[in-house]
Amino acid sequence: MRRDVYDVVIVGSGAGGGMAAYELTKAGATVLLLEAGGMWDNTKDSDMLVAPWETPRRGGSTPDKPFGEHDACIGGWNVPGEPFTTAPGSRFQWWRARMVGGRTNHWGRISLRFGPDDFQHKSIDGLGDNWPITYDDVKPYYDEVDDLIGIFGSREGMRNHPDGKFLPAPKPRCWEMPIKKAADKHAVTCIPSRLSIITRPHNGRAACHYCGQCNRGCRTNSNFTSTNVLIAPALRTGKLTMRTDAMVREVSVGKDGLADGVIFIDKVRGEEMKVNAKVVVLAASACETARIMLNSKSAKFPQGLGNSSGMVGKYLTDTTGTDVGGFLPALADQPRHNCDGVGGAHLYMPWWLDNKKLDFPRGYHIEIWGGMGMPGYGVGGGMQNYAGGGGYGASLKSDVRKYWGTGVGFSGRGEMIPNEKSFCEIDPRAVDQWGIPVLRFHWEWSDYEYNQVKHMQETFRTLLQEMGAVVRSNMPTKEQGYGIATGGSIIHELGCVRMGSDPKASVLNEHCQTWDCKNVFVADGGPFVSQADKNPTWTILALSMRTSRYIAEQRKGGKL
Amino acid sequence: MTDSSKFSRREVVTGLAATAGAFLMPSAARATEAAKVSTAARGAAGAVGTAYAPKIYTAHEYATVRALVDEVIPKDAKSGSATDAGVPEFMDTMLDLEPNMRVAHRGGLAWLDHECRRRYAKDFVTCTTAERHAVLDDIAYPAKAKPEFAAGVNWFNSFRDFTATGFFTSEMGVTDIGYMGNTPVMNWDGCPPENYTRLGTQKP
């Protein structure tokens, strides 16, 4: 294979890498897609419709499946043989998916476009940085992503939460309606979710059958995964070669100062290999991409590839998060019915307030949970917290029946302002099992995030009280960070390979092309200049499509 | 490229072909197909009944667990008991898979025997129903329990949870609790109207 020269090598097969493979093969390029994990195909390997009693742990977690043995995603915050470190005083958790399709096997399919303000927020509040592109630059790609992949939602006409090209949204579940009623009472916008689950047959894929198990992987491809919505059609072009268990160490640079391929470790054979390509697209996830770039040191790029600005690894962000749950007595002894629905809530709350009137600069959205979901490990637990006081025997048995499905809750997901104290770098003292230097994380929240999370807690408690729910947790104190989730635990790492308009202050130009090396591009969450109060996947897809089109154009013009 | 990449490619293409048929079907057939493609028999639950040979529990522990789970979840008019649902077998399997669970769980069983011996000079399994209940009453209601029983209370909370998981994730328990999902639905139409009404809301 050393003699082969691919037009493009893509590192990572998640949302960004899958989209790049789809677009570039469609444009006629010969593409090699490298994935650090193994093969896994949701149409064959999923536990969809497996009953709880069919597996020994009844859905409980395993070392490589922290979200439960039925979860599709192989990986987690601890990957055997692939450590990371944190600087003294920093707490950060780094999630990795190690499988074809990457994190698209894991996520909740929450597919929110960024709005006009999200790309230019510095112009509004003076914080962080503006993107070098605007909503109008990305809108056509969002529209194409909607059409290609499929998304349901409702047209609401909200300025900073732009409508997409939506399939019909499913009706709310009954437990979601008291939440909507409380939200309406307190003027909290509560609308149908926007999820990449198809409620009508779409582009050759079957419509959702409402088993609520998207996280297990969908056997009918009714939700989005990179594996079968992007990579599979790319393979059918005959232009794509995919190689799994290929752990990329570095981008190699030729005498002309351009990248000439990548060096990876074949994890099965334990051998180091080089593959040649005219263009390199890094889509390994924000931090893994930064790691590859920092480890790509050469005479021309002694600080790492694309790092002449010193900005690789800098301004790492994660979404802020906190949760409050309660017991809603009105839901006790509900008449039984199937309330599975789609995998995820049918309603959500986009950011609805004006930050100018608040003590924190950026917003959050609210996700909700509850319902009589499939019993799994933990069902019927904590009965000592209910009116029966715990106990045993016939009364306990009937208490479990009575209170099953009475829990409801809220999770806030908010925008963090990028700061200088939150970044990753190479730990000079540690390598992973492949001998690749590992990342060391530095992390610090600011009062912008703490005040925002405090507002989440207060809002959730107000809504739960409005509903008549019993909340057992106390409002977390300032000393407890108002209950803010650990950095990295929301699994939305973004930034650290940021795009910008100044080569001295950014890694990438507006096409996600490295300033330093014109044939190296980034197509994951790395280019993000800011988080927004939205989940990043839809923007990763739109940017990857936009970048891929640019690569195809440049190739056609002989510039790459 | 190498053999491994060809293999990967074949895997994906096969997966796609399997799916390609699905979208052409009418929705009823599609739902049936979705049910069919789910992996049916895992055979993982193991045999239920006294013939089971525990992998972790000693014979005495196993006898204690069998007696205790049925005190926690007995047979009633609606469904069978915890042992009927295979809870002891599930617990032993979990202890086998999760070594970190063993010390607290088995230590609690030993604590229970100590307490029974202190009061009645008998193990839990040989106590009368009234004697068993007297001990359980002291540890099963955390809000009322005396401080000297804290260790027992703490352990019994987790034993109760473990039993509830075992029972209500069994086929018997899932039927009992009335879970009606895990099945393809042709057209999602929200909940029955009376559920919304009970909650003071309208069917949207």
Side-chain angles (χ1 to χ4, degrees):
Chain A
M1 69 176 284
R2 280 179 182 79
R3 284 188 299 276
D4 294 340
V5 179
Y6 291 91
D7 291 330
V8 184
V9 60
I10 301 168
V11 182
S13 66
M19 178 60 86
Y22 176 82
E23 283 292 330
L24 289 164
T25 53
K26 205 171 64 165
T30 57
V31 177
L32 173 66
L33 179 60
L34 298 177
E35 164 56 46
M39 191 57 218
W40 199 90
D41 182 344
N42 50 283
T43 62
K44 297 201 301 290
D45 301 324
S46 158
D47 271 354
M48 189 177 90
L49 301 181
V50 169
W53 59 85
E54 291 183 68
T55 56
R57 285 183 168 86
R58 312 286 171 94
S61 57
T62 68
D64 66 349
K65 298 217 168 181
F67 284 76
E69 64 184 342
H70 299 306
D71 195 70
C73 201
I74 299 160
W77 288 287
N78 297 300
V79 177
E82 299 184 31
F84 60 88
T85 63
T86 50
S90 285
R91 290 182 66 214
F92 187 83
Q93 298 174 293
W94 186 26
W95 170 277
R96 273 80 35 93
R98 288 288 181 252
M99 63 196 303
V100 170
R103 299 182 196 205
T104 66
N105 294 288
H106 165 79
W107 67 313
R109 274 83 191 179
I110 298 174
S111 304
L112 305 171
R113 312 179 163 206
F114 284 19
D117 294 351
D118 298 323
F119 291 97
Q120 304 294 317
H121 226 133
K122 186 179 184 182
S123 300
I124 297 169
D125 59 22
L127 298 167
D129 287 294
N130 284 338
W131 292 55
I133 51 177
T134 65
Y135 176 69
D136 289 339
D137 293 322
V138 189
K139 180 182 184 298
Y141 301 96
Y142 280 134
D143 287 346
E144 280 200 57
V145 171
D146 289 356
D147 280 337
L148 174 66
I149 293 174
I151 174 176
F152 71 71
S154 57
R155 299 190 67 80
E156 303 286 343
M158 297 176 294
R159 201 186 68 83
N160 200 42
H161 308 296
D163 295 329
K165 302 176 87 176
F166 296 134
L167 298 168
K171 281 181 187 164
R173 304 172 177 94
C174 47
W175 63 265
E176 294 175 312
M177 290 307 287
I179 293 177
K180 175 154 176 60
K181 197 174 155 189
D184 288 349
K185 183 94 185 283
H186 289 266
V188 178
T189 307
C190 183
I191 61 170
S193 296
R194 296 169 169 187
L195 309 182
S196 46
I197 298 167
I198 52 177
T199 52
R200 295 287 181 276
H202 189 79
N203 288 345
R205 290 154 53 211
C208 177
H209 53 264
Y210 305 101
C211 73
Q213 299 167 27
C214 287
N215 71 311
R216 295 183 177 198
C218 185
R219 286 182 172 259
T220 61
N221 277 325
S222 305
N223 60 23
F224 169 61
T225 58
S226 178
T227 312
N228 282 307
V229 180
L230 298 173
I231 297 171
L235 284 166
R236 278 188 296 172
T237 65
K239 294 278 186 182
L240 178 65
T241 306
M242 181 162 67
R243 183 163 181 145
T244 55
D245 295 301
M247 181 78 190
V248 172
R249 189 184 72 202
E250 64 178 278
V251 178
S252 59
V253 176
K255 288 192 184 102
D256 56 1
L258 294 176
D260 63 10
V262 300
I263 297 168
F264 67 92
I265 286 91
D266 177 326
K267 287 162 75 170
V268 177
R269 299 196 184 108
E271 284 171 19
E272 184 177 307
M273 304 190 83
K274 162 93 186 279
V275 62
N276 301 311
K278 295 171 195 159
V279 173
V280 175
V281 176
L282 298 174
S285 82
C287 301
E288 192 72 56
T289 289
R291 180 186 178 201
I292 292 167
M293 293 175 82
L294 291 169
N295 279 327
S296 302
K297 288 182 180 162
S298 59
K300 180 158 176 132
F301 302 114
Q303 300 188 83
L305 182 72
N307 195 29
S308 63
S309 61
M311 296 302 288
V312 174
K314 300 293 163 57
Y315 297 105
L316 171 63
T317 57
D318 187 25
T319 295
T320 59
T322 197
D323 319 303
V324 184
F327 148 60
L328 186 56
L331 288 170
D333 284 326
Q334 290 178 85
R336 298 312 197 223
H337 60 278
N338 179 355
C339 74
D340 282 350
V342 303
H346 291 191
L347 300 176
Y348 91 114
M349 301 162 201
W351 179 236
W352 70 103
L353 294 172
D354 180 357
N355 290 91
K356 290 198 186 87
K357 297 171 185 162
L358 297 162
D359 65 351
F360 56 96
R362 304 284 168 94
Y364 59 88
H365 76 264
I366 307 173
E367 300 172 12
I368 59 175
W369 30 278
M372 299 186 291
M374 194 190 320
Y377 198 97
V379 63
M383 294 312 294
Q384 67 275 18
N385 299 317
Y386 291 83
Y392 60 96
S395 65
L396 171 75
K397 199 174 178 184
S398 59
D399 273 359
V400 174
R401 292 170 185 142
K402 178 175 182 166
Y403 295 118
W404 178 60
T406 58
V408 290
F410 299 84
S411 294
R413 296 290 180 259
E415 178 172 0
M416 170 191 182
I417 307 278
N419 70 62
E420 289 182 348
K421 292 171 179 170
S422 299
F423 63 97
C424 57
E425 62 183 350
I426 297 298
D427 185 331
R429 295 166 304 177
V431 295
D432 69 9
Q433 68 171 322
W434 318 110
I436 307 172
V438 309
L439 286 178
R440 176 166 63 196
F441 290 93
H442 298 250
W443 194 260
E444 201 169 303
W445 299 112
S446 75
D447 283 343
Y448 299 139
E449 288 80 40
Y450 286 122
N451 291 347
Q452 181 200 62
V453 166
K454 176 169 179 268
H455 192 272
M456 292 179 191
Q457 283 277 340
E458 289 163 352
T459 303
F460 302 164
R461 287 163 195 278
T462 301
L463 293 174
L464 285 160
Q465 190 177 22
E466 178 67 39
M467 293 160 66
V470 179
V471 180
R472 294 196 191 88
S473 65
N474 293 318
M475 171 80 195
T477 62
K478 186 178 181 182
E479 290 66 35
Q480 293 164 327
Y482 301 114
I484 197 166
T486 308
S489 66
I490 308 297
I491 321 181
H492 287 172
E493 314 91 69
L494 295 174
C496 72
V497 193
R498 299 206 301 171
M499 58 159 86
S501 43
D502 178 1
K504 291 192 192 69
S506 57
V507 183
L508 310 169
N509 67 17
E510 63 158 304
H511 303 292
C512 299
Q513 179 178 32
T514 58
W515 291 111
D516 297 351
C517 196
K518 70 172 185 181
N519 65 342
V520 176
F521 295 80
V522 178
D524 50 29
F528 281 49
V529 179
S530 57
Q531 278 269 345
D533 48 54
K534 284 123 186 157
N535 304 46
T537 305
W538 226 239
T539 302
I540 291 172
L541 288 163
L543 290 180
S544 175
M545 182 185 268
R546 185 171 180 270
T547 294
S548 301
R549 298 272 171 88
Y550 176 78
I551 294 170
E553 260 171 48
Q554 294 285 301
R555 275 175 38 77
K556 213 186 271 174
K559 290 176 185 158
L560 280 174
Chain B
M1 274 301 291
T2 62
D3 286 349
S4 68
S5 70
K6 279 178 194 156
F7 178 74
S8 303
R9 177 177 164 159
R10 191 170 62 238
E11 291 266 300
V12 171
V13 173
T14 310
L16 187 80
T19 321
F23 71 91
L24 299 169
M25 284 184 249
S27 57
R30 169 163 50 83
T32 316
E33 185 63 19
K36 215 161 47 183
V37 294
S38 87
T39 7
R42 290 298 178 97
V48 170
T50 45
Y52 179 84
K55 292 181 280 282
I56 302 301
Y57 289 126
T58 64
H60 176 71
E61 284 172 334
Y62 197 57
T64 307
V65 163
R66 291 185 64 83
L68 187 56
V69 293
D70 281 355
E71 293 291 354
V72 175
I73 296 189
K75 182 178 190 313
D76 66 3
K78 198 170 179 191
S79 65
S81 70
T83 50
D84 292 336
V87 172
E89 293 86 341
F90 160 71
M91 288 181 165
D92 185 62
T93 303
M94 282 304 295
L95 295 178
D96 182 40
L97 293 169
E98 299 290 338
N100 291 340
M101 292 176 73
R102 291 177 197 162
V103 169
H105 178 80
R106 302 171 86 186
L109 294 172
W111 180 93
L112 186 67
D113 270 345
H114 290 316
E115 188 59 27
C116 291
R117 279 189 222 115
R118 189 176 69 77
R119 295 189 197 189
Y120 310 113
K122 291 185 276 194
D123 291 340
F124 181 79
V125 282
T126 44
C127 283
T128 65
T129 299
E131 288 164 347
R132 289 177 181 183
H133 287 188
V135 176
L136 292 180
D137 286 343
D138 282 340
I139 58 174
Y141 301 91
K144 294 183 203 159
K146 292 180 184 149
E148 61 262 38
F149 294 120
V153 167
N154 193 41
W155 165 73
F156 193 72
N157 280 343
S158 70
F159 191 90
R160 185 196 298 111
D161 287 355
F162 202 9
T163 307
T165 280
F167 184 80
F168 286 103
T169 58
S170 70
E171 190 163 9
M172 180 190 288
V174 169
T175 306
D176 176 327
I177 211 164
Y179 173 65
M180 294 170 72
N182 194 30
T183 185
V185 172
M186 258 79 69
N187 295 297
W188 173 263
D189 191 36
C191 298
E194 61 266 32
N195 285 71
Y196 294 101
T197 310
R198 271 169 63 96
L199 295 165
T201 61
Q202 292 284 314
K203 180 159 185 157

